[in-house]
Amino acid sequence: MKTAAQENFLMQLKRPILVGGLGLSASLWLLNIVGHSPVGHALGDGSALIGAIALSAGVWFLQKSKRANLTIEAPLALKTVDKSAVEKTLAGVEATLTTLIEALPEERKADCKHAIWTQIEQKKQAISQVLASIEREKLTLAIVGNKSTGKTTLATLLHDQWQPEHSQVTRISEIEGEETLLALDTDLVLFLTTGDLTQSELQRLQSLLRAGYRTHIAFNKQDQLVPVDRQAVVQRIQTRVEDLDIGVSAIAPKPNPITVRRHLEDGTIQEFTEQPAPQIARLTDKLNYLIDNEAQQLVLTTALRQAKALKTDVQQLLNAERQQRAMPIVEQMQWIAAGSAFASPLPSLDMLAATAINAQLIVDLGAVYGQTFSLEQAKKAAGTLAELLVKLGLVELSTQAFGSLLKTHAATYVAGGALQGVSAAYLTRTVGLSLIEFFEEQSVLPTEAQKFAFGAMGDRLQTIFKATKQSMGLQVFVKQALSHLPASEMPASKKAATAA
Ligand SMILES: Nc1nc2c(ncn2[C@@H]2O[C@H](COP(=O)(O)OP(=O)(O)O)[C@@H](O)[C@H]2O)c(=O)[nH]1
Ligand SMILES: [Mg+2]
């Protein structure tokens, strides 16, 4: 069910001539009335603005860092990697670095001592290293598994008995549970388990695959089971990973000592314990096979993983750089929205200004993210976003939330103007942060896969609406917003509305 206000709002949205026809000039006219012209604001009231930017940008970055890192798309079963895939990914990293350099503000571009240049230099070196590594012949292994699954025992045994004959394997490291991160250059993971895979082991395995590690499972301590049960465990593990192209080998690098009884001729029984020989042939056979036949694949898989990690790193650098330019735009637009909503004599003009401001936001943020939108396209998209804000009830939610907060402020502020201003600012902020996230996601896609489906931003708007509320607190926001509204005078129309 729509409320009357929503109905009214939607009716206005359906009048593209009103929304589109007046457009930006109308909102700029409104801004001039309240002395909140974008130019005047950026230059005149600088200190307050910069303070506000610093505060909320900080909050934003914190909130961002909690978000899951960019995930690398990879099907769980690893595919054969060819050299060109690695080279193509690295070319993508180069291109992102170029975009990053172009995105630097002039003064930082000229300042060769700035930290960003060290980072760029490091990434360039990393690109050359990955390229060079394609030809490498040395391999490294890592043994991964929960505590006491026998990693140290196996590593020692391999080190003593197997590695000397396989000098191309230069490192066998041990990784406990989930604590330590695997080195990116690990060519093969030996995943140790002492029985059927538990849920958490399966998850760990999946995350290794998702991260692009070649993996082989070793079912360890098989001596603890009778042969028929060993077979059953191996089969169970195999069914769990059958789609993933992962092998399973049953081993026992240090079987439990066994008691041997011997019947002597004089009728007495002699009992003694014997240490059975290590049973790791199934595993070493597999390792030998991989080293002899798939060394290059292992190296390429590692190189591709490193190239993708590098791409994510560089993308994050670029995102951080772009956010530094994008956030002030959002901040500026949100206070413009506040000013124009505060001053506008009619709610319909609020809407008009809001749509014009959001359209400007789309054009400006798009430019930061390398996307060009015409004003017409942007207005259409802004209309779609405005409609979403109403449909999702976010307009009403913010009015309610700020309405009760504003009651605690000075009496003059318990006025429609302030409420509309603060609300408009908050909604503009929500739209701005959502656009930033949206553009970031689009920018990692190849051009042909980019879709600027603004109508599909509903979930994102809702999430960010809530997240901003939690991270910065509405009280803080109200304080900031009020400091951007004219302090003493209130438009006559709003006074009348309050009195009524
Ligand atoms: N029964 C049996 N026990 C083993 C085997 N390999 C290792 N263990 C024992 O498992 C325990 C944990 O081994 P350890 O190598 O320290 O495990 P880590 O914590 O994974 O490094 C030790 O008591 C080992 O003696 C095996 O093949 N069979
Ligand atoms: Mg250990």
Side-chain angles (χ1 to χ4, degrees):
M1 273 260 312
K2 293 194 195 92
T3 65
Q6 283 173 350
E7 285 285 7
N8 187 17
F9 183 93
L10 287 172
M11 287 250 307
Q12 283 158 21
L13 283 178
K14 286 191 189 116
R15 285 195 217 138
I17 297 170
L18 184 63
V19 176
L22 293 175
L24 267 181
S25 57
S27 76
L28 291 176
W29 167 74
L30 285 167
L31 300 176
N32 282 330
I33 296 178
V34 278
H36 272 68
S37 94
V39 180
H41 207 106
L43 300 177
D45 184 17
S47 59
L49 182 68
I50 289 165
I53 291 168
L55 176 68
S56 25
V59 172
W60 165 245
F61 283 119
L62 274 180
Q63 176 203 329
K64 289 285 285 189
S65 61
K66 272 188 251 156
R67 241 175 47 195
N69 279 344
L70 296 168
T71 46
I72 296 164
E73 271 300 308
L76 281 187
L78 297 184
K79 294 209 184 80
T80 310
V81 177
D82 59 53
K83 203 172 151 185
S84 65
V86 180
E87 288 165 347
K88 197 174 153 211
T89 308
L90 289 174
V93 182
E94 293 259 20
T96 311
L97 269 180
T98 308
T99 312
L100 168 64
I101 294 169
E102 281 164 6
L104 292 176
E106 287 308 321
E107 72 271 15
R108 221 170 316 158
K109 230 183 252 181
D111 177 10
C112 58
K113 290 215 174 62
H114 195 277
I116 189 77
W117 288 108
T118 320
Q119 286 173 304
I120 290 171
E121 201 41 51
Q122 280 168 354
K123 299 303 172 201
K124 282 188 173 164
Q125 278 170 17
I127 293 174
S128 328
Q129 275 163 13
V130 176
L131 261 182
S133 79
I134 293 178
E135 306 301 332
R136 105 186 119 93
E137 282 167 5
K138 304 287 180 198
L139 296 172
T140 63
L141 311 187
I143 303 178
V144 174
N146 288 334
K147 204 169 163 45
S148 292
T149 44
K151 297 180 295 298
T152 305
T153 312
L154 177 64
T156 311
L157 191 66
L158 286 175
H159 186 266
D160 294 346
Q161 296 189 1
W162 175 78
Q163 207 179 352
E165 283 151 39
H166 298 87
S167 56
Q168 65 270 58
V169 175
T170 53
R171 190 180 74 217
I172 303 179
S173 44
E174 177 182 344
I175 309 289
E176 189 92 37
E178 321 225 334
E179 289 157 25
T180 333
L181 280 179
L182 272 171
L184 266 180
D185 67 353
T186 300
D187 297 305
L188 180 68
V189 172
L190 292 179
F191 193 90
L192 282 204
T193 169
T194 53
D196 189 10
L197 295 171
T198 62
Q199 190 60 32
S200 69
E201 284 174 325
L202 209 56
Q203 274 165 6
R204 171 75 162 151
L205 208 52
Q206 277 167 356
S207 65
L208 286 169
L209 289 172
R210 215 171 282 129
Y213 287 99
R214 268 291 285 272
T215 308
H216 182 78
I217 298 177
F219 159 46
N220 199 15
K221 307 191 188 180
Q222 63 153 346
D223 59 293
Q224 290 176 332
L225 297 179
V226 294
V228 53
D229 290 343
R230 286 176 201 171
Q231 204 41 47
V233 170
V234 170
Q235 266 163 15
R236 239 172 293 153
I237 298 176
Q238 265 163 352
T239 31
R240 287 188 195 278
V241 297
E242 68 185 348
D243 298 332
L244 307 176
D245 196 22
I246 295 178
V248 186
S249 311
I251 55 166
K254 192 182 170 196
N256 275 335
I258 49 171
T259 308
V260 182
R261 282 208 182 111
R262 193 174 292 163
H263 295 263
L264 300 178
E265 275 170 14
D266 62 1
T268 57
I269 297 173
Q270 199 189 27
E271 242 185 47
F272 56 98
T273 56
E274 205 176 75
Q275 176 63 51
Q279 305 152 14
I280 57 165
R282 282 204 194 90
L283 177 63
T284 49
D285 284 353
K286 177 73 187 180
L287 292 179
N288 295 344
Y289 173 84
L290 288 174
I291 287 175
D292 293 342
N293 300 284
E294 289 196 36
Q296 210 203 1
Q297 249 326 286
L298 291 172
V299 166
L300 284 172
T301 304
T302 295
L304 184 61
R305 186 175 57 247
Q306 289 173 323
K308 284 180 174 173
L310 209 48
K311 190 158 167 55
T312 308
D313 276 1
V314 172
Q315 191 64 46
Q316 271 165 351
L317 276 184
L318 176 61
N319 284 350
E321 194 57 46
R322 283 170 161 172
Q323 275 181 28
Q324 282 188 33
R325 284 172 58 206
M327 279 312 292
I329 297 175
V330 174
E331 305 273 347
Q332 190 187 15
M333 287 300 178
Q334 81 194 24
W335 304 138
I336 291 174
S340 71
F342 178 83
S344 81
L346 292 167
S348 61
L349 283 180
D350 282 2
M351 258 326 297
L352 189 64
T355 309
I357 286 166
N358 284 342
Q360 191 62 50
L361 205 50
I362 290 168
V363 171
D364 291 353
L365 291 179
V368 171
Y369 288 86
Q371 301 299 332
T372 315
F373 296 102
S374 70
L375 201 54
E376 277 315 307
Q377 287 172 315
K379 272 185 202 160
K380 195 161 162 254
T384 307
L385 291 179
E387 205 168 340
L388 272 175
L389 290 176
V390 177
K391 267 197 210 146
L392 296 169
L394 298 182
V395 173
E396 209 166 80
L397 266 179
S398 73
T399 314
Q400 279 167 5
F402 288 116
S404 51
L405 271 179
L406 280 169
K407 282 202 187 103
T408 62
H409 280 267
T412 42
Y413 270 119
V414 191
L419 177 55
Q420 277 163 34
V422 177
S423 256
Y426 192 78
L427 291 171
T428 305
R429 184 179 182 82
T430 301
V431 168
L433 298 188
S434 303
L435 285 169
I436 288 177
E437 204 186 85
F438 179 63
F439 286 148
E440 277 183 2
E441 278 181 22
Q442 295 292 316
S443 71
V444 296
L445 300 175
T447 320
E448 65 275 12
Q450 292 180 348
K451 260 197 242 108
F452 293 94
F454 292 95
M457 281 180 62
D459 286 348
R460 198 186 301 272
L461 286 169
Q462 261 174 323
T463 312
I464 289 183
F465 183 90
K466 281 190 218 131
T468 315
K469 208 160 89 177
Q470 279 154 8
S471 67
M472 79 186 300
L474 292 187
Q475 290 277 12
V476 180
F477 191 80
V478 167
K479 239 171 133 182
Q480 286 182 14
L482 290 183
S483 76
H484 285 84
L485 292 175
S488 48
E489 340 135 54
M490 193 186 304
S493 62
K494 293 283 161 74
K495 260 185 201 151
T498 321

